[in-house]
Amino acid sequence: MTHHTTQSPQFFLTAPSPCPYIEGQFERKVFTHLVGDKAPEMNDLLTQGGFRRSQNIAYRPACESCRACVSVRILAGEFQATKNMRRVIQRNSDLIGAMHDAEPSTEQYSLFRRYLDARHRKGGMSDMTVLDYAMMVEDTHVDTKIIEYRKRGPDSFITGRGQGELIAVALSDKMADGMSMVYSYFNPDFEDRSLGTFMILDHIARARAAGLPHVYLGYWVNGSRKMSYKVRFMPQEHLGPRGWERYEHEAV
């Protein structure tokens, strides 16, 4: 049996596989296991070093000839919503997000399947079963939360919970220096609400309220349309050879 410790984590390298973002490129990842009592501390350190979490695995790109994937984190305390973002907040003012421990439900999976079938039918997650989804949510040794977004009910201001159908869900890790958005999905019938943007804005507000400086968004790939939204949330920092550096870009 292999034992993993905080002092000497073991890292592994995947075999090359086609890159999902840049045609003609091949990706490789370096990864390690996040298990045991020290997993939250290790997750903090690795996330600050450009890793992402998937279940009990922390990984980051290790491609031989490409450095297009860049880790991005929003500076929550300095963030100011653009005019378009303020419209998104207003458009979703009838929603309330309830945060609780990472526990899957059939209602979540039903929404998850609708989202995948509408937006990512040919993606790598398209064949995930209800058990696969449960593992994605539950298989964590860090402080992982589920935020469910529903329409406000008459008692929302008392209980803090919305009522009605589930409209959007975010799976996120709470860390010492911020929140890391692991995965989010929403009802594709409400595309005009810009729910993906709204959930990021909600995470920024939650981080700021908790006094946490960062919201980690994962990887931005310059030139990839599906990743372009990540550089709209300013100010932010990108992880490069000299560490985290402020990235200047005009938000819209």
Side-chain angles (χ1 to χ4, degrees):
M1 178 181 293
T2 301
H3 296 276
H4 306 280
T5 67
T6 301
Q7 289 73 27
S8 56
Q10 291 185 297
F11 291 89
F12 307 90
L13 190 64
T14 65
S17 60
C19 177
Y21 304 112
I22 302 178
E23 187 175 355
Q25 291 282 359
F26 286 83
E27 67 170 359
R28 301 189 77 177
K29 294 184 176 75
V30 60
F31 69 93
T32 190
H33 295 86
L34 289 171
V35 294
D37 295 340
K38 297 296 184 180
E41 176 185 345
M42 181 61 67
N43 187 49
D44 282 11
L45 291 172
L46 291 176
T47 301
Q48 292 161 10
F51 280 72
R52 293 288 286 166
R53 185 186 68 81
S54 176
Q55 296 177 219
N56 65 1
I57 297 292
Y59 67 92
R60 67 169 297 171
C63 307
E64 296 177 358
S65 61
C66 180
R67 296 293 182 270
C69 293
V70 179
S71 293
V72 173
R73 67 185 186 188
I74 302 166
L75 298 174
E78 298 181 49
F79 174 79
Q80 292 189 0
T82 65
K83 187 175 181 179
N84 286 339
M85 292 174 185
R86 290 194 296 271
R87 281 198 288 262
V88 170
I89 294 172
Q90 179 61 36
R91 197 177 304 142
N92 292 285
S93 60
D94 60 335
L95 301 185
I96 187 169
M99 177 186 287
H100 51 80
D101 291 337
E103 298 178 353
S105 69
T106 55
E107 187 182 23
Q108 291 171 16
Y109 180 71
S110 177
L111 180 61
F112 177 70
R113 279 259 46 106
R114 288 183 64 186
Y115 174 77
L116 289 182
D117 292 343
R119 302 288 293 266
H120 302 286
R121 187 172 299 174
K122 296 182 180 180
M125 304 173 73
S126 60
D127 59 350
M128 285 180 64
T129 66
V130 65
L131 294 178
D132 294 328
Y133 175 79
M135 288 292 289
M136 182 178 79
V137 174
E138 290 182 324
D139 192 4
T140 173
H141 291 253
V142 304
D143 188 7
T144 303
K145 301 295 184 183
I146 281 274
I147 306 176
E148 295 185 339
Y149 298 88
R150 302 175 187 270
K151 287 193 175 183
R152 292 182 181 273
D155 67 339
S156 294
F157 296 102
I158 301 173
T159 66
R161 289 187 174 274
Q163 292 186 341
E165 70 174 308
L166 186 64
I167 292 178
V169 175
L171 181 68
S172 302
D173 291 341
K174 293 185 69 176
M175 307 189 310
D177 74 327
M179 299 184 69
S180 177
M181 298 187 69
V182 177
Y183 194 79
S184 61
Y185 56 93
F186 53 85
N187 188 331
D189 292 342
F190 295 106
E191 191 164 355
D192 60 333
R193 282 180 174 264
S194 301
L195 289 164
T197 295
F198 174 71
M199 284 188 279
I200 295 175
L201 294 170
D202 182 63
H203 276 70
I204 295 170
R206 290 174 184 271
R208 180 182 288 172
L212 300 173
H214 304 123
V215 174
Y216 289 84
L217 292 185
Y219 303 115
W220 169 63
V221 182
N222 193 8
S224 172
R225 289 187 60 189
K226 66 175 67 175
M227 292 291 188
S228 61
Y229 71 92
K230 294 188 178 184
V231 292
R232 294 174 51 229
F233 301 87
M234 292 291 160
Q236 63 181 231
E237 293 179 329
H238 290 186
L239 183 60
R242 294 179 294 183
W244 289 98
E245 295 184 310
R246 199 178 187 92
Y247 176 76
E248 300 297 338
H249 176 80
E250 184 178 353
V252 295

